[in-house]
Amino acid sequence: ITDISNGFNPITLLRDFDYGTLKQENGKRVREFEVIANSSILQLNSAITFVSWNLNGRVPGPTLRATEGDRVRIIFHNEDGHSHSIHFHGTHPEEMDGVKPVRHGKTMIYEFDVNPYGLYPYHCHIAPVTRHVSKGLYGLLIVDPKKSRPPADEMVMVIGGYDINNDEKNELYAVNGIPNFYRDHPIPIYQNQLVRLYVLNMVEYDPALTFHIHANLFRVYRSGRSLTPDEETDVITMGTAERHILEFAYPYPGRFMFHPHQDTIAEHGCMGLFNVLPT
Amino acid sequence: ITDISNGFNPITLLRDFDYGTLKQENGKRVREFEVIANSSILQLNSAITFVSWNLNGRVPGPTLRATEGDRVRIIFHNEDGHSHSIHFHGTHPEEMDGVKPVRHGKTMIYEFDVNPYGLYPYHCHIAPVTRHVSKGLYGLLIVDPKKSRPPADEMVMVIGGYDINNDEKNELYAVNGIPNFYRDHPIPIYQNQLVRLYVLNMVEYDPALTFHIHANLFRVYRSGRSLTPDEETDVITMGTAERHILEFAYPYPGRFMFHPHQDTIAEHGCMGLFNVLPT
Amino acid sequence: ITDISNGFNPITLLRDFDYGTLKQENGKRVREFEVIANSSILQLNSAITFVSWNLNGRVPGPTLRATEGDRVRIIFHNEDGHSHSIHFHGTHPEEMDGVKPVRHGKTMIYEFDVNPYGLYPYHCHIAPVTRHVSKGLYGLLIVDPKKSRPPADEMVMVIGGYDINNDEKNELYAVNGIPNFYRDHPIPIYQNQLVRLYVLNMVEYDPALTFHIHANLFRVYRSGRSLTPDEETDVITMGTAERHILEFAYPYPGRFMFHPHQDTIAEHGCMGLFNVLPT
Ligand SMILES: [Cu+2]
Ligand SMILES: [Cu+2]
Ligand SMILES: [Cu+2]
Ligand SMILES: [Cu+2]
Ligand SMILES: [Cu+2]
Ligand SMILES: [Cu+2]
Ligand code: NA
Ligand code: NA
Ligand code: NA
Ligand code: NA
Ligand code: NA
Ligand code: NA
Ligand SMILES: [Zn+2]
Ligand SMILES: [Zn+2]
Ligand SMILES: [Zn+2]
Ligand SMILES: [Zn+2]
Ligand SMILES: [Zn+2]
Ligand SMILES: [Zn+2]
Ligand SMILES: [Zn+2]
Ligand SMILES: [Zn+2]
Ligand SMILES: [Zn+2]
């Protein structure tokens, strides 16, 4: 698999935060984002291609990022042949809820204040939602607290499933779009460096997903809604659209796996490696 | 679907609390409840009828309500042709555990003190339990703390599944008994009014259920066993018989969906709407 | 089912802790454990036998136990015809991660310091992991805090599934190896005695497992990573490899069920009883 064949590189996606275009309007800070829906063919492995429906040419869509209290304005343009929408989790008025179809060639502007800080999934909400989501129309909005979290190597993992044969079951799974990408291209991190992982489960058709890292524990900040950890463990169970901050640092250098602890899922594309570099 | 065809109205069920008949016996407060098991035919949608086994003519059964320290006495009469029982979650002696069959025409009195405050599911415990539960024999006992929780618009949602064709899979799901009822009859609530939602998962055959509300966050009081929230989010994963208090207020008027975030389940009867009225 | 036919007695397994051989090396406390992989035929019920792959002749493997800060040394010898490994959860260097095959007749020594206190599953990590785990190659390492938890009747329950017909679904389930053993041989405990239950879900193929006890509540210490409870309830949902401490005492004598609240699983081998003896 070359990175170019899919139009995006999952290694880049990991730490790619879209802060939008910053504007001041009537004394208020506004972040303006452009999001375009379209289709593309993904090479999931050497044998399997998949017609994705995606946002900004990538699966998952862009990791949007703002600070608590900001106004966000998402200019959503649908270039795809099917109608789509963006439904954001989080507080907003009815007309910004993203459950109405935006037809091919049309633009919809979603605008609302982001409050409180936390992690907010977004995804298409056109029926059948299962299909629109699993085709690739999902991503994460991070709302930072006003006082930033401590410095860390921050990265995003959005886990999705692919129903290749349209039987409402997933044949492949992927962290950030391409099955087994991080198994084949381990993620470089540094020994004793705090890692802040924003993890989101967007797998449809399966009732729950677990996530495990080897040779370490992580502290969990559930839904990113606290500044102190809720628990410390190394396996977490997440329903669809659940998302958490996981923090950890590796005391030893080396290569360490991460994967759902449902080994069936791990063995179907959801296996990755951290390459911990000595410091 | 008319309300009358099923003998109960899910809009009424939402806020229908059965406090029993209050008695003083030897200086102790006793709440006496009558619960009758029987069968009835439910019209689940325009095409599908289902023979339910139910309690007091409704699915879910009555929401029983008492205060911490009360003695409760449940006079259970089985009018149905099959043997049934009521097993209560919570602390009680062996003979009150509700695992022994009560035959057609017989009466069993379950009596115990309710301690501590919290949410306690109840359900038939006759084998196969999967079948007896999914036929409709379940409900919620709320035990209030001695010092009441703050005033709120309180409502109950019990989520169940229907195995229409006896293949040990659910073809339909429902919040409070009738699939898609609250999609077709949105639940009126008021802007900025605190809602206290008692939610219980009684779905058999599926390993876990998620619950999501649109355009808002909720505070979670797990199993109703605390007076301060355990977390704040907008999706929660619940195994069978898990139950929580969720609190939220909608800042904007309008219509907002709630549903499991397993969209397959949402699309098979488990979709509802809040109609938030301006204040 | 006689105990002898399977080479181990699940009643004994419950409270069987392997503290290893204690050594002092360069002023450090070392606990040395011997673990041998092999195959054996389990009589799961009167009709079904199963070729298990196991550790020290038992399913689950031995409950290893050490104190925070100890060095542990696991001398792993593979007598089985297939290659296996032991992957420990918890912090350790790459070469101790147990993801490399140990061939028939070979020995591998896993050695690392155990920090912090908590519960750490272990299991074979040879592909397909689903198969190697569900054949029986798993167990629990308990790391006690330096200051012991309060006195209690401590016991371990490891829940696993058996894929009898190799269709990647479980036909049977068991607490501590033998289906329905504790239904047929209730676990004696004492009224008002604190029970500290170490529970681990090692079921493959199913996305999540619930665990319920009758007629009581339990306090949950998630992953054993705290000294104060995280919540109090009577049903908990656990993904594969999730493990918790549950504490409770029965105020009434009698026989009380415990089982996953997924009644399908309970009805396929995962039903047990506490026999609470009066004091
Ligand atoms: Cu869609
Ligand atoms: Cu591991
Ligand atoms: Cu029953
Ligand atoms: Cu939503
Ligand atoms: Cu293995
Ligand atoms: Cu129970
Ligand atoms: Na929302
Ligand atoms: Na499929
Ligand atoms: Na109970
Ligand atoms: Na069915
Ligand atoms: Na590990
Ligand atoms: Na099987
Ligand atoms: Zn769409
Ligand atoms: Zn969503
Ligand atoms: Zn692993
Ligand atoms: Zn029944
Ligand atoms: Zn129950
Ligand atoms: Zn929705
Ligand atoms: Zn093995
Ligand atoms: Zn593991
Ligand atoms: Zn039970």
Side-chain angles (χ1 to χ4, degrees):
Chain A
I1 298 172
T2 66
D3 305 338
I4 294 157
S5 71
N6 289 309
F8 64 90
N9 180 343
I11 287 288
T12 309
L13 254 60
L14 269 178
R15 299 175 175 104
D16 183 16
F17 301 100
D18 182 349
Y19 290 90
T21 303
L22 200 55
K23 305 190 168 184
Q24 289 290 336
E25 298 181 7
N26 308 318
K28 188 159 186 72
R29 195 161 70 171
V30 179
R31 292 188 184 274
E32 201 170 282
F33 301 93
E34 293 198 61
V35 178
I36 297 169
N38 214 329
S39 299
S40 77
I41 295 174
L42 296 183
Q43 189 83 34
L44 296 184
N45 59 36
S46 59
I48 297 178
T49 55
F50 181 79
V51 178
S52 79
W53 300 344
N54 61 53
L55 300 169
N56 289 1
R58 42 177 280 178
V59 177
T63 302
L64 309 180
R65 196 156 181 177
T67 300
E68 186 173 39
D70 289 353
R71 166 146 297 218
V72 300
R73 179 179 299 139
I74 297 98
I75 303 169
F76 173 59
H77 186 66
N78 184 7
E79 295 279 0
D80 187 40
H82 302 81
S83 293
H84 297 300
S85 73
I86 307 183
H87 164 69
F88 282 88
H89 285 220
T91 307
H92 48 251
E94 178 186 30
E95 58 272 27
M96 295 301 153
D97 198 36
V99 295
K100 288 181 198 147
V102 179
R103 295 175 62 180
H104 171 77
K106 298 294 179 187
T107 296
M108 166 70 196
I109 298 175
Y110 301 108
E111 184 168 334
F112 48 89
D113 295 339
V114 287
N115 258 315
Y117 71 84
L119 306 187
Y120 298 100
Y122 67 78
H123 55 88
C124 180
H125 207 297
I126 304 306
V129 174
T130 41
R131 179 168 166 79
H132 282 246
V133 166
S134 68
K135 291 291 274 181
L137 293 162
Y138 53 80
L140 183 63
L141 163 65
I142 299 172
V143 177
D144 289 310
K146 277 181 177 154
K147 182 172 181 315
S148 303
R149 295 176 193 272
D153 181 7
E154 297 199 323
M155 60 183 82
V156 175
M157 293 189 189
V158 183
I159 304 175
Y162 290 114
D163 175 10
I164 307 296
N165 59 1
N166 295 310
D167 66 350
E168 308 211 334
K169 289 176 190 150
N170 296 306
E171 283 73 44
L172 283 172
Y173 299 84
V175 179
N176 291 345
I178 307 301
N180 289 322
F181 195 91
Y182 302 121
R183 180 195 69 185
D184 301 334
H185 305 75
I187 299 171
I189 59 177
Y190 288 96
Q191 189 183 4
N192 295 321
Q193 164 71 56
L194 177 65
V195 175
R196 181 171 298 122
L197 179 60
Y198 298 90
V199 64
L200 165 61
N201 171 22
M202 286 307 302
V203 175
E204 290 281 357
Y205 307 122
D206 285 280
L209 189 80
T210 49
F211 185 81
H212 169 57
I213 67 171
H214 273 228
N216 216 336
L217 298 174
F218 48 70
R219 291 176 296 284
V220 183
Y221 302 76
R222 296 183 64 81
S223 306
R225 283 292 304 120
S226 73
L227 302 175
T228 51
D230 292 298
E231 71 173 303
E232 189 180 40
T233 186
D234 61 17
V235 183
I236 192 158
T237 302
M238 307 169 74
T240 304
E242 282 195 294
R243 63 289 182 181
H244 304 300
I245 296 173
L246 310 181
E247 287 187 354
F248 53 88
Y250 271 90
Y252 302 106
R255 295 197 169 205
F256 299 100
M257 296 179 182
F258 60 87
H259 56 86
H261 213 292
Q262 291 135 299
D263 298 299
T264 309
I265 294 178
E267 289 164 5
H268 288 81
C270 222
M271 175 60 73
L273 287 166
F274 291 114
N275 182 18
V276 182
L277 303 168
T279 51
Chain B
I1 297 173
T2 65
D3 304 338
I4 294 157
S5 70
N6 289 309
F8 64 90
N9 181 343
I11 287 289
T12 308
L13 254 60
L14 270 178
R15 300 175 174 102
D16 183 16
F17 301 101
D18 182 349
Y19 290 91
T21 303
L22 199 56
K23 305 190 168 183
Q24 290 291 333
E25 299 182 4
N26 308 318
K28 188 157 184 73
R29 194 161 70 170
V30 179
R31 292 189 184 274
E32 201 170 283
F33 301 92
E34 292 197 61
V35 178
I36 297 170
N38 213 330
S39 299
S40 76
I41 295 175
L42 295 183
Q43 187 83 32
L44 297 182
N45 59 35
S46 59
I48 297 178
T49 55
F50 181 80
V51 178
S52 79
W53 300 343
N54 61 54
L55 300 168
N56 290 1
R58 40 177 282 178
V59 177
T63 303
L64 309 180
R65 196 156 184 177
T67 300
E68 187 174 37
D70 288 353
R71 166 144 296 216
V72 299
R73 179 180 299 139
I74 297 98
I75 302 169
F76 174 59
H77 187 66
N78 184 7
E79 297 277 359
D80 188 39
H82 302 81
S83 292
H84 297 300
S85 74
I86 307 183
H87 163 70
F88 282 88
H89 285 222
T91 307
H92 49 251
E94 179 187 29
E95 58 271 26
M96 295 300 153
D97 198 35
V99 295
K100 288 181 199 146
V102 179
R103 295 174 63 179
H104 171 78
K106 298 293 179 188
T107 296
M108 165 72 195
I109 297 175
Y110 301 109
E111 183 167 334
F112 47 90
D113 295 338
V114 288
N115 257 315
Y117 71 83
L119 307 187
Y120 299 100
Y122 66 80
H123 54 87
C124 180
H125 207 296
I126 304 306
V129 176
T130 40
R131 179 168 165 80
H132 282 247
V133 166
S134 68
K135 292 291 274 181
L137 292 162
Y138 53 80
L140 183 62
L141 163 65
I142 299 173
V143 177
D144 290 310
K146 277 183 177 154
K147 183 175 183 309
S148 302
R149 296 177 192 273
D153 180 6
E154 298 199 323
M155 58 184 82
V156 175
M157 292 189 189
V158 183
I159 304 175
Y162 290 113
D163 175 10
I164 306 297
N165 58 2
N166 294 310
D167 66 350
E168 308 211 335
K169 290 176 190 150
N170 296 307
E171 283 72 43
L172 283 173
Y173 300 85
V175 180
N176 291 345
I178 308 301
N180 290 321
F181 195 91
Y182 302 121
R183 180 195 69 186
D184 301 333
H185 305 75
I187 299 170
I189 59 176
Y190 288 95
Q191 190 183 4
N192 295 321
Q193 164 72 56
L194 178 65
V195 174
R196 180 170 299 123
L197 179 60
Y198 298 90
V199 64
L200 164 62
N201 172 22
M202 285 307 303
V203 175
E204 290 282 357
Y205 306 121
D206 285 280
L209 188 80
T210 49
F211 185 80
H212 169 56
I213 68 171
H214 273 228
N216 216 335
L217 298 174
F218 49 69
R219 292 177 296 285
V220 183
Y221 302 76
R222 296 183 64 81
S223 307
R225 282 293 303 122
S226 74
L227 302 175
T228 52
D230 293 296
E231 71 173 303
E232 188 180 41
T233 186
D234 61 16
V235 183
I236 191 156
T237 302
M238 307 169 75
T240 304
E242 283 194 294
R243 65 285 182 183
H244 304 300
I245 295 172
L246 309 181
E247 287 187 354
F248 53 87
Y250 271 90
Y252 301 106
R255 295 196 168 205
F256 299 99
M257 294 179 182
F258 60 87
H259 56 85
H261 213 293
Q262 292 135 297
D263 296 300
T264 308
I265 294 178
E267 289 162 5
H268 288 81
C270 222
M271 174 62 72
L273 287 166
F274 290 114
N275 182 20
V276 182
L277 303 168
T279 50
Chain C
I1 297 174
T2 66
D3 304 338
I4 294 159
S5 71
N6 291 307
F8 63 90
N9 181 342
I11 286 287
T12 308
L13 254 60
L14 269 179
R15 300 177 174 101
D16 183 15
F17 301 101
D18 181 350
Y19 290 91
T21 303
L22 199 56
K23 306 190 166 184
Q24 290 291 333
E25 299 181 5
N26 308 318
K28 189 157 182 76
R29 194 162 69 170
V30 180
R31 292 187 184 275
E32 202 170 280
F33 301 93
E34 292 198 61
V35 179
I36 297 170
N38 214 329
S39 300
S40 76
I41 295 175
L42 296 183
Q43 188 84 33
L44 296 183
N45 59 37
S46 58
I48 298 177
T49 57
F50 180 80
V51 178
S52 79
W53 300 344
N54 61 54
L55 300 169
N56 291 1
R58 41 176 281 178
V59 177
T63 302
L64 309 180
R65 195 154 183 179
T67 300
E68 188 174 38
D70 288 353
R71 168 146 296 219
V72 299
R73 180 179 300 138
I74 296 99
I75 303 170
F76 174 59
H77 187 65
N78 184 8
E79 296 278 0
D80 188 39
H82 302 80
S83 294
H84 297 300
S85 73
I86 307 184
H87 163 70
F88 282 88
H89 285 222
T91 307
H92 48 252
E94 178 188 29
E95 59 272 27
M96 296 300 154
D97 199 35
V99 296
K100 290 182 198 144
V102 179
R103 295 175 62 180
H104 171 78
K106 299 292 179 188
T107 296
M108 166 72 196
I109 298 176
Y110 301 108
E111 184 169 334
F112 48 89
D113 296 337
V114 288
N115 258 314
Y117 72 84
L119 306 187
Y120 299 100
Y122 66 78
H123 55 89
C124 179
H125 207 297
I126 304 307
V129 176
T130 39
R131 179 167 166 80
H132 282 247
V133 167
S134 68
K135 291 291 273 181
L137 293 161
Y138 52 79
L140 182 63
L141 163 64
I142 298 174
V143 178
D144 290 310
K146 278 182 176 155
K147 182 174 182 311
S148 303
R149 295 177 193 271
D153 180 6
E154 298 200 322
M155 58 182 83
V156 175
M157 293 189 190
V158 183
I159 304 175
Y162 291 113
D163 175 9
I164 307 295
N165 58 1
N166 294 311
D167 66 350
E168 308 210 335
K169 288 174 191 152
N170 296 307
E171 282 72 43
L172 283 173
Y173 299 84
V175 179
N176 291 346
I178 308 301
N180 290 322
F181 195 91
Y182 302 122
R183 180 196 67 185
D184 301 334
H185 305 75
I187 300 171
I189 59 176
Y190 288 96
Q191 189 183 5
N192 295 320
Q193 164 71 55
L194 178 65
V195 174
R196 180 170 298 122
L197 179 60
Y198 298 89
V199 64
L200 164 62
N201 171 23
M202 285 307 301
V203 175
E204 290 282 357
Y205 306 121
D206 285 280
L209 188 80
T210 48
F211 185 80
H212 170 57
I213 66 170
H214 273 228
N216 216 336
L217 298 174
F218 49 69
R219 291 176 296 285
V220 183
Y221 302 76
R222 295 183 64 81
S223 306
R225 282 294 303 120
S226 73
L227 301 176
T228 52
D230 292 297
E231 70 173 304
E232 189 180 41
T233 186
D234 61 17
V235 183
I236 192 157
T237 302
M238 308 169 74
T240 303
E242 282 195 294
R243 64 286 182 184
H244 304 300
I245 296 173
L246 310 181
E247 287 186 355
F248 52 89
Y250 272 89
Y252 302 106
R255 296 197 167 205
F256 298 100
M257 295 179 181
F258 60 87
H259 57 85
H261 213 294
Q262 292 134 298
D263 297 300
T264 307
I265 294 178
E267 289 162 5
H268 288 83
C270 222
M271 174 61 72
L273 286 167
F274 290 115
N275 182 18
V276 182
L277 303 168
T279 51

